[in-house]
């Protein structure tokens, strides 16, 4: 059974909160990024019986997650767009990564099947700039010999909410297109010159599924669970690569975790097989928690996930952290909170 089949089978469970019959479980709450929501839900479901911690995670987007942890309305926030050192200090927050994931382009084009269509970074940038507007544009046709592309309007979809997924997507487009970097730039919420907004990875996936000619960007798990058509993308070395475990792992190996806040940049890394849009996702934990026991249970949950959650993450096409990164995160916990 391949990973895609495993993930499709897990789809129903991913939408459910972690609920069990065990009494007196420790309760913790978190909110933020939708990018890691599928794996956080699976981890929560498993941790409920494994360590008696019940996690209530709200997939509300990175921007909302940052606001909620700054206001201390949840025990932890989650974001795909890392905060810088100044922001962490001002918010009295400790930031650490949990897992890595991959963004993919999803399309709804009649006659085009999964991973048939080839796209480049500059073409994707020009689609979202509104400069390429039809699927039979000569630049797209030129790199897709043998594939019949219709004279159909391109309907870009993007995140309408503050989103770490958008942060990663526009980081990539800004890296490959100077015009995109100048006109749109990088942020969790940007003004796209073309397209329609939708809320959450779930909303973008739904829009692309429903609209002929649509293109969007989502974490890979959402493409699989929604049975959406993904594309090949040309990587930094000039090779067209498919969105699959081997290309994700090739890119993840380039991550450098020795940076403030563990904010490793894994966008558009070199390598013949590297998928160009891979990113870690982060947890924000107060360094001055109002309830020390709940803070300790947050760390206990993610410590369990580091030890026993890799298989679940891989089944959902996420990339576990290397052991060295996990050890560095635990060392940061100990320095801040004690052993």
């Amino acid at each position: 059974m391949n990973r895609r089949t495993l993930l499709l089978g897990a789809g129903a469970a991913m939408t459910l909160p972690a609920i069990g019959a065990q009494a007196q479980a420790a309760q913790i709450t978190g909110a933020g990024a939708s990018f890691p929501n599928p794996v956080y839900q699976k981890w929560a479901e498993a941790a409920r019986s494994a360590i008696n911690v019940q996690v209530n995670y709200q997939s509300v987007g990175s921007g909302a997650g940052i606001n909620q942890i700054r206001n201390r309305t949840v025990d932890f926030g989650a974001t795909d767009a890392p905060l810088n050192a100044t922001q962490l200090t001002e918010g009295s927050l400790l930031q650490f990564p949990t897992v890595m994931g991959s963004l993919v382009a999803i399309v709804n084009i009649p006659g085009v099947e999964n991973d048939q269509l080839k796209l480049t970074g500059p073409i994707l940038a020009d689609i979202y700039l509104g400069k390429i507007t039809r699927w039979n544009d000569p630049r797209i046709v030129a790199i897709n010999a043998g594939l019949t592309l219709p004279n159909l309007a391109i309907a870009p979809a993007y995140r309408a909410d503050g989103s770490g997924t958008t942060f990663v997507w526009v980081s990539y487009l800004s890296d490959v297109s100077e015009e995109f970097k100048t006109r749109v730039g990088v942020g969790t919420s940007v003004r796209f010159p073309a397209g329609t907004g939708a809320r959450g990875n779930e909303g973008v996936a739904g829009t692309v599924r429903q609209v002929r000619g649509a293109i969007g960007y989502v974490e890979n798990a959402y493409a699989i669970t929604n049975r959406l058509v993904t594309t090949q993308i040309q990587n930094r070395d000039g090779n067209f690569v498919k969105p699959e475990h081997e290309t994700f792992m090739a890119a993840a190996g380039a991550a450098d975790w020795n940076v403030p806040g563990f904010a490793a940049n894994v966008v558009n890394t070199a390598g013949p097989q590297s998928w160009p849009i891979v990113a870690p996702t982060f947890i924000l934990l107060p360094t001055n928690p109002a309830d020390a026991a709940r803070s300790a249970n947050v760390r206990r949950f993610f410590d369990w996930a580091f030890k026993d959650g890799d298989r679940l993450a891989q089944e959902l096409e996420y990339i576990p952290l290397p052991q060295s990164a996990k050890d560095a995160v635990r060392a940061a916990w100990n320095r801040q909170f004690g052993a």
Side-chain angles (χ1 to χ4, degrees), residues 288-336:
N288 56 350
D291 188 324
R294 293 180 75 98
S295 176
N297 280 322
V298 172
R299 301 194 301 277
R300 191 157 68 94
F301 169 68
F302 285 107
D303 181 67
W304 170 87
F306 285 166
K307 288 186 292 188
D308 296 321
D310 285 358
R311 179 182 58 80
L312 291 173
Q314 289 176 313
E315 286 179 0
L316 295 171
E317 299 281 4
Y318 290 91
I319 306 160
L321 298 182
Q323 189 60 46
S324 59
K326 295 175 182 177
D327 292 343
V329 170
R330 290 187 175 106
W333 293 344
N334 288 338
R335 284 194 300 272
Q336 182 64 48

Side-chain angles (χ1 to χ4, degrees), residues 19-192:
I19 296 174
Q22 198 170 350
Q24 296 182 332
Q27 309 275 329
I28 57 174
T29 59
S34 61
F35 181 92
N37 181 49
V39 70
Y40 287 175
Q41 297 295 351
K42 291 298 289 184
W43 282 350
E45 184 181 355
R48 179 69 170 85
S49 58
I51 58 172
N52 205 27
V53 171
Q54 182 166 329
V55 182
N56 178 11
Y57 181 73
Q58 305 167 53
S59 172
V60 292
S62 296
I66 292 169
N67 288 334
Q68 289 202 33
I69 194 59
R70 282 174 170 160
N71 294 326
R72 301 298 196 260
T73 57
V74 289
D75 297 311
F76 67 90
T79 178
D80 305 322
L83 300 189
N84 61 37
T86 300
Q87 292 170 318
L88 292 171
T89 298
E90 289 175 349
S92 299
L93 295 168
L94 176 69
Q95 176 173 271
F96 61 88
T98 56
V99 71
M100 289 185 278
S102 302
L103 261 64
V104 297
I106 51 176
V107 297
N108 181 350
I109 309 170
V112 174
E113 299 181 356
N114 202 49
D115 295 341
Q116 277 191 313
L117 182 68
K118 296 177 180 177
L119 295 171
T120 69
I123 286 175
L124 285 166
D126 281 353
I127 287 174
Y128 276 87
L129 286 171
K131 297 175 65 177
I132 294 179
T133 60
R134 304 198 76 81
W135 282 114
N136 65 345
D137 182 279
R139 290 176 59 190
I140 302 176
V141 171
I143 58 173
N144 286 281
L147 186 63
T148 301
L149 292 167
N151 182 15
L152 177 67
I154 300 177
Y158 58 80
R159 290 284 294 274
D161 51 326
S163 160
T165 306
T166 291
F167 174 85
V168 176
W169 182 250
V170 298
S171 294
Y172 170 65
L173 297 185
S174 293
D175 193 74
V176 297
S177 167
E178 191 63 32
E179 182 177 357
F180 189 92
K181 181 179 180 180
T182 301
R183 290 180 57 189
V184 181
V186 176
T188 56
S189 181
V190 299
R191 187 181 296 275
F192 286 99

